[in-house]
Amino acid sequence: MPRFSPLALTFADPPLDLQELLQQVQVRLQLVIAAISNVAVLVHDPVSDILRPHPLDGCLDPDGGCRHITLALRPDLRALAEAQQLAVIDDRSAQACSADGGDPWPEGGTWRSRLTIPLLRAELLLGFLLVDADLPDVFQPSALAALAPELERLMLRLCTRLGASADLMAVVDLMARIVAIRDGCTGGHLKRVAAYCRLIGSVIEGQITLPRGFAEAVARCAPLHDVGKLGVPDRVLLKPGMLDSAETALMRTPVSIGQELVDRLLRKVIAR
């Protein structure tokens, strides 16, 4: 069975929506193997250890299967990531009736065979690429060899994009922790703000047209709501008594300071 080696992340990814990218690749893969029925990505969040399928608006399968998978509960996937090797299920119906009686792939749907490839940058797990087919025994060695060029190009683009996203989220988490420590607030406060933002964002998503994953993106970045406080001196921010007019003016600057910091952060990530 071939092994897809980690690739150097030098490809300049064009501004293409991730779902559009997966759909385009699926069409090209179907030109090689007509039985391929779906191409999806499980994106790994290292903070929560949760795998979230993309596209977010369609789950992984048409019957609305599992949206979130905790990696800790999937030692098979973790083992793939550690070995940096792909895995093939030749016939799902046969594997689901294995000796332990459990279906190792609880996402549902009608696929019969599946190819799973871990997406890594160095030792960092970014997620998994899933390629499904509606017939058994599709991903044989000869088929994998024929699919390899297209899959390696897709892996490179996904690792570039997901790697930039992982870098951004790492910086977001770090900045949020710094603000929380300096301001004396607890992690519970940041989690509550994120939960409120996710709830509000999901309601808004149902009323107007927004980019896919809007609510989740807002929730992940919500801990930055007070990052502008880093620009306020401690003598003002932590002053126990009344503020004078000059100090009050300083306390009104965090929004503009925060916007500038976040804009600079985004420009740095996008420039990479």
Side-chain angles (χ1 to χ4, degrees):
M1 182 179 296
R3 172 171 173 160
F4 291 84
S5 301
L7 301 173
L9 302 182
T10 57
F11 187 89
D13 198 8
L16 185 66
D17 177 84
L18 183 54
Q19 182 171 356
E20 293 176 353
L21 171 63
L22 295 175
Q23 289 172 342
Q24 289 184 10
V25 171
Q26 179 175 328
V27 171
R28 291 197 291 269
L29 293 179
Q30 287 171 334
L31 295 176
V32 181
I33 299 178
I36 289 177
S37 57
N38 191 41
V39 179
V41 175
L42 288 173
V43 180
H44 182 239
D45 179 2
V47 177
S48 64
D49 200 35
I50 286 177
L51 293 164
R52 292 183 172 86
H54 196 98
L56 292 171
D57 58 352
C59 294
L60 293 180
D61 296 292
D63 66 349
C66 178
R67 280 186 175 272
H68 296 167
I69 301 171
T70 302
L71 184 60
L73 300 179
R74 295 297 301 270
D76 52 339
L77 293 179
R78 186 175 292 280
L80 283 184
E82 292 174 352
Q84 299 186 18
Q85 291 183 325
L86 61 82
V88 170
I89 293 180
D90 288 321
D91 190 343
R92 177 196 191 189
S93 59
Q95 183 149 351
C97 298
S98 58
D100 61 9
D103 183 355
W105 302 95
E107 293 89 3
T110 59
W111 60 273
R112 289 290 302 277
S113 53
R114 168 172 284 177
L115 170 65
T116 303
I117 305 175
L119 301 171
L120 300 121
R121 186 183 62 180
E123 300 299 321
L124 176 64
L125 175 63
L126 302 173
F128 295 89
L129 172 63
L130 307 180
V131 182
D132 295 342
D134 54 15
L135 295 176
D137 302 314
V138 167
F139 301 107
Q140 298 302 306
S142 59
L144 293 176
L147 294 172
E150 191 66 52
L151 289 176
E152 290 193 345
R153 283 194 292 269
L154 175 59
M155 290 166 59
L156 180 55
R157 298 177 74 171
L158 290 174
C159 287
T160 301
R161 179 171 299 189
L162 297 179
S165 177
D167 289 343
L168 177 60
M169 287 299 99
V171 175
V172 166
D173 291 335
L174 177 60
M175 293 176 69
R177 290 172 184 267
I178 292 173
V179 174
I181 293 172
R182 182 170 181 261
D183 204 18
C185 68
T186 64
H189 167 70
L190 298 179
K191 291 180 181 179
R192 287 192 297 272
V193 171
Y196 289 140
C197 288
R198 182 179 291 107
L199 178 60
I200 295 171
S202 61
V203 173
I204 296 174
E205 279 184 329
Q207 297 176 348
I208 60 177
T209 302
L210 291 168
R212 299 179 186 92
F214 169 80
E216 187 62 33
V218 172
R220 285 303 310 271
C221 294
L224 290 181
H225 69 283
D226 277 339
V227 71
K229 288 183 177 180
L230 293 175
V232 179
D234 285 349
R235 61 178 175 79
V236 177
L237 182 66
L238 305 178
K239 183 177 179 179
M242 295 286 292
L243 301 179
D244 60 30
S245 58
E247 293 168 338
T248 300
L250 282 173
M251 286 300 293
R252 290 172 178 166
T253 61
V255 173
S256 58
I257 294 174
Q259 181 179 354
E260 180 183 356
L261 288 173
V262 173
D263 285 345
R264 291 176 63 182
L265 170 62
L266 290 175
R267 285 197 296 269
K268 290 285 187 180
V269 173
I270 292 172
R272 292 181 58 189

